[in-house]
Amino acid sequence: MKALISQEEIMQLLDKLYEQSTQGIAKVSPPIEELAADYLQKNSDVDAAAKQFVNYQIAKCTTSGFLAGLGGLIMLPVALPANVGSVLYVQMRMIACLAYMGGFDTDSDQVQTLVYACLAGISIDQIIKQAGIQFGNKLAMAMVKKIPGEVLTKINQKVGFRFLTKFGTKGVINIGKAVPIIGGIISGGFDFAETKTIANRAYKMFIENDASVLSDGESVDVEIIQEI
């Protein structure tokens, strides 16, 4: 297996994962529209549906058998261990589904980039402010749509660069060393805490419309979603 991955390959990986996360995988997982509808129909409001969804997804994915089975079905443009690809898929799918539940257009380039930023846990508020966009305290779809393409490019570059600078140098990243951040896997297991942090970040961003997540990144102080 190729040991090093470039920033360009990281973005190719994220793009493919996003496609599979939102559109689903045949005979394995439905499109997020269907997934979200199932939870929304069974709960009294979006907040309750989102919490139930997050708790169930995390519980399901803590089983190594689920991740092992999923890994062989995910087709990625970059050679990664099957379990790493599985966890990345699960984490991104959780974020994208929460965005959809919150009323965000997951087919838009802007929301796709915000999902990447949420997964990476990066701060993007300064990049957005430099473009003259002020979100205030609330993240609304109307404002998200105003993020121009050149800003999305800068955010995506920061997402890719985060993975590179976290574990590697000179534009390459060692997949073995990168596992704790990009896959949340420790010794082949599932990092429950890391994925819960990502889920809570996505919940605050897309369900509570809390724009502070854009500035605090992965260090945001969140309350762990409890079972309902």
Side-chain angles (χ1 to χ4, degrees):
M1 186 188 73
K2 186 178 178 182
L4 302 174
I5 183 172
S6 68
Q7 185 169 346
E8 180 181 358
E9 288 174 317
I10 287 175
M11 297 316 298
Q12 291 175 355
L13 168 66
L14 294 178
D15 289 345
K16 186 60 178 179
L17 279 169
Y18 191 79
E19 176 187 339
Q20 294 182 327
S21 297
T22 55
Q23 296 181 12
I25 300 175
K27 299 181 180 180
V28 177
S29 55
I32 58 170
E33 291 90 343
E34 295 180 19
L35 180 63
D38 181 52
Y39 283 89
L40 291 170
Q41 291 169 2
K42 294 176 180 178
N43 288 274
S44 58
D45 53 42
V46 173
D47 182 75
K51 288 181 178 179
Q52 186 184 60
F53 164 73
V54 166
N55 287 320
Y56 180 71
Q57 292 298 306
I58 293 177
K60 180 175 65 175
C61 298
T62 53
T63 61
S64 59
F66 171 81
L67 292 176
L70 185 59
L73 298 168
I74 297 176
M75 303 301 294
L76 299 176
V78 177
L80 290 178
N83 51 1
V84 175
S86 299
V87 175
L88 277 172
Y89 171 80
V90 169
Q91 291 173 341
M92 185 176 288
R93 185 167 165 83
M94 278 198 302
I95 299 169
C97 192
L98 286 173
Y100 181 86
M101 285 182 174
F104 289 83
D105 181 8
T106 52
D107 289 329
S108 73
D109 292 339
Q110 289 88 349
V111 173
Q112 182 172 348
T113 295
L114 289 180
V115 170
Y116 293 174
C118 185
L119 178 67
I122 61 171
S123 170
I124 61 174
D125 64 321
Q126 291 303 315
I127 297 176
I128 294 175
K129 287 179 181 177
Q130 288 171 8
I133 300 174
Q134 298 290 335
F135 279 117
N137 296 323
K138 290 293 183 179
L139 182 69
M141 188 62 207
M143 294 297 295
V144 170
K145 289 181 178 179
K146 295 181 179 180
I147 303 177
E150 59 268 24
V151 174
L152 299 181
T153 298
K154 291 180 180 179
I155 295 173
N156 285 332
Q157 289 174 342
K158 188 171 183 179
V159 168
F161 189 66
R162 167 156 176 77
F163 292 120
L164 297 179
T165 56
K166 185 74 175 180
F167 298 99
T169 59
K170 299 181 180 180
V172 293
I173 182 169
N174 186 293
I175 290 299
K177 294 180 180 178
V179 164
I181 180 74
I182 70 170
I185 299 174
I186 298 178
S187 300
F190 184 77
D191 189 342
F192 180 82
E194 173 68 15
T195 302
K196 249 192 170 182
T197 297
I198 292 172
N200 277 284
R201 188 185 304 133
Y203 176 85
K204 292 185 75 69
M205 179 184 293
F206 295 115
I207 303 300
E208 295 187 341
N209 303 121
D210 187 345
S212 69
V213 179
L214 301 176
S215 59
D216 292 336
E218 70 171 350
S219 63
V220 64
D221 183 19
V222 297
E223 294 182 3
I224 297 299
I225 296 174
Q226 302 292 332
E227 293 185 6
I228 58 174

